Amino acid sequence: MSTTRTAPNVPQPRKSVLSIDAYVPGKSKSDKVPTKYKLSSNETPFGPSPNAIEACKKMAANLELYPDGTAIKLREALASKHNISANQIICGAGSDEILSLLAYAYLGEGDEAIYTRHGFLVYPIAIKAAGATPIIAEETDCKANIDTILSCLSERTKMVFLANPNNPTGTYLPISEIRRLHEGLPPHIMLVLDAAYAEYVLKEDYEAGIDLVKSANNVVMTRTFSKVYGLAALRLGWAFAPSPVIDTLNRIRGPFNVNTPSIETGIAALKDEAFIQKAVEHNALWLDKVTKALEEMGLKVTPSVANFVLIHFPENEAYSAQNADAYLLERGFILRRVSNYGFDNALRMTIGTQDANRAVIAHLSAFLGVSEPEVS
Ligand SMILES: *Cc1c(COP(=O)(O)O)cnc(C)c1O
């Protein structure tokens, strides 16, 4: 073989791939003591609906058969629940897969995609994996700022990723602001609205973005079964998008990217509306109680509308987030360090069961040496 270039002696990935910091999931156990409560990944404390568990068990008898690659039964169930067209829905192995597919299909070398300072870390991974350049728009008080996002637009911009509400901050933007963002985008730039926590938001000025997708050619909304539906282990997500986008993603997704247990379990979970309502009500109640109790202890909490809170610790080294994390871990409570999101001195806590929430409050007040707040 004649070649003038010196070939590397091992296979080399694209340069952009090596620039990626791999996603680090929340800790799932303490090294020292048995886990009492895992409050690190925004999983629901209620698990899935019993009907969903039953559906999943049933499917164990048919594992030799390939799934329906179009997931039509699930898409129809989603379509009827949200009053949208099944033809404009795509399902994926978690919404993470769909976010990646969007990046692979629409971004490449030389393109830019915007996300916000404390935005979900899957976005820069997907953007870089596609060879494109992530551009960070600063936030205001841990909240996305539409004007700042718009000021980041360039001739190279192809996509804007926005989690609404955002993880790990828990903040949200009203639909009027999302519409203002959309109006500021040229029609060739795609707006990806990641509504992973939409079910939890009870604010009247909030919408996940369904009507916006219906009326525009460049808006995609992604959703997940991992959070309030309690099916994180199955990996099931979906997107509602304009037909040309669905057609594009269908060309590059794995032909059987969603498995049969996920399809059947997802459908059963969707149908149990009372179960979901209970989880949402519990969350609203405890989000409020936990926030107030933490504030009473002198901690700063970013106002959240999701199923978690971002807790900021005092400057005093003794009471740092790192020390609080270690203190809680020793007692079997796992919260989430968020240094990789740019919050060196904060922890993210998922709203748990009543017992879990009360215990974290008790332990944190002991850690801080303040009196334990009354939680009704
Ligand atoms: C949890 C979460 C998701 C869901 O990811 P899946 O792949 O569907 O489990 C998506 N976006 C954000 C912002 C999240 O926090």
Side-chain angles (χ1 to χ4, degrees):
M1 190 179 77
S2 76
T3 168
T4 45
R5 281 193 304 164
T6 325
N9 56 7
V10 289
Q12 297 291 313
R14 275 180 284 117
K15 258 208 205 105
S16 54
V17 173
L18 293 180
S19 75
I20 295 173
D21 295 318
Y23 186 84
V24 183
K27 272 195 281 277
S28 57
K29 60 184 177 41
S30 157
D31 299 335
K32 294 175 196 148
V33 298
T35 302
K36 288 206 184 85
Y37 293 107
K38 178 177 185 288
L39 305 172
S40 59
S41 298
N42 301 342
E43 294 139 335
T44 170
F46 297 108
S49 152
N51 303 345
I53 295 173
E54 212 36 58
C56 193
K57 279 185 184 161
K58 262 197 199 154
M59 293 326 296
N62 297 80
L63 295 181
E64 76 282 14
L65 301 176
Y66 272 99
D68 163 26
T70 71
I72 184 62
K73 262 178 82 180
L74 175 58
R75 288 191 294 120
E76 280 175 350
L78 287 164
S80 105
K81 180 175 172 66
H82 293 281
N83 195 22
I84 55 183
S85 161
N87 295 331
Q88 281 181 257
I89 296 174
I90 183 169
C91 298
S95 43
D96 286 353
E97 184 190 23
I98 295 173
L99 296 168
S100 294
L101 292 175
L102 285 165
Y104 290 140
Y106 288 90
L107 298 176
E109 205 80 38
D111 294 334
E112 294 177 353
I114 300 170
Y115 73 107
T116 65
R117 170 59 66 190
H118 304 296
F120 191 38
L121 282 180
V122 165
Y123 311 148
I125 293 175
I127 295 164
K128 288 181 189 173
T133 305
I135 302 293
I136 297 177
E138 295 301 330
E139 298 175 356
T140 307
D141 294 335
C142 294
K143 202 196 252 194
N145 179 321
I146 296 310
D147 298 304
T148 312
I149 293 174
L150 291 174
S151 75
C152 290
L153 294 178
S154 82
E155 277 176 7
R156 295 166 175 252
T157 311
K158 288 276 176 64
M159 203 174 269
V160 176
F161 286 98
L162 186 67
N164 195 30
N166 184 50
N167 168 20
T169 54
T171 55
Y172 83 106
L173 291 180
I175 189 67
S176 55
E177 282 291 277
I178 302 295
R179 287 187 180 279
R180 198 163 71 77
L181 169 60
H182 178 247
E183 279 158 21
L185 297 178
H188 70 280
I189 297 181
M190 184 182 288
L191 174 60
V192 180
L193 297 171
D194 176 350
Y197 300 95
E199 291 82 1
Y200 284 114
V201 188
L202 302 176
K203 302 281 181 188
E204 287 199 345
D205 59 0
Y206 175 82
E207 280 176 35
I210 286 179
D211 286 344
L212 193 55
V213 176
K214 282 182 185 170
S215 67
N217 294 320
N218 62 337
V219 184
V220 174
M221 174 195 70
T222 62
R223 302 286 286 261
T224 185
F225 282 89
S226 300
K227 302 290 155 58
V228 77
Y229 289 102
L231 299 177
L234 279 184
R235 313 303 306 123
L236 185 59
W238 58 283
F240 176 49
S243 300
V245 176
I246 297 291
D247 175 66
T248 301
L249 300 186
N250 274 330
R251 291 168 194 253
I252 61 168
R253 69 173 171 85
F256 305 103
N257 62 332
V258 176
N259 62 65
T260 316
S262 295
I263 293 171
E264 295 298 333
T265 310
I267 293 168
L270 269 185
K271 284 189 181 147
D272 196 346
E273 290 183 3
F275 184 86
I276 299 306
Q277 193 181 336
K278 208 180 102 222
V280 169
E281 282 168 12
H282 168 90
N283 187 69
L285 187 69
W286 280 95
L287 179 65
D288 186 53
K289 287 181 199 259
V290 166
T291 302
K292 284 186 177 140
L294 293 169
E295 286 174 345
E296 223 175 297
M297 288 184 229
L299 296 168
K300 194 173 156 265
V301 181
T302 300
S304 170
V305 295
N307 68 333
F308 55 87
V309 281
L310 184 65
I311 312 167
H312 305 268
F313 285 77
E315 289 300 321
N316 186 334
E317 176 65 38
Y319 303 129
S320 68
Q322 187 177 353
N323 287 337
D325 185 45
Y327 184 94
L328 289 168
L329 266 180
E330 278 167 19
R331 286 154 184 83
F333 290 79
I334 304 178
L335 273 63
R336 180 68 172 265
R337 297 282 320 268
V338 278
S339 309
N340 52 346
Y341 280 96
F343 293 112
D344 266 337
N345 202 23
L347 295 177
R348 192 190 67 197
M349 170 191 172
T350 306
I351 299 299
T353 58
Q354 166 166 192
D355 288 351
N357 301 333
R358 286 183 191 282
V360 171
I361 289 163
H363 284 312
L364 276 180
S365 58
F367 166 76
L368 295 166
V370 299
S371 58
E372 190 181 328
E374 286 265 359
V375 181
S376 59

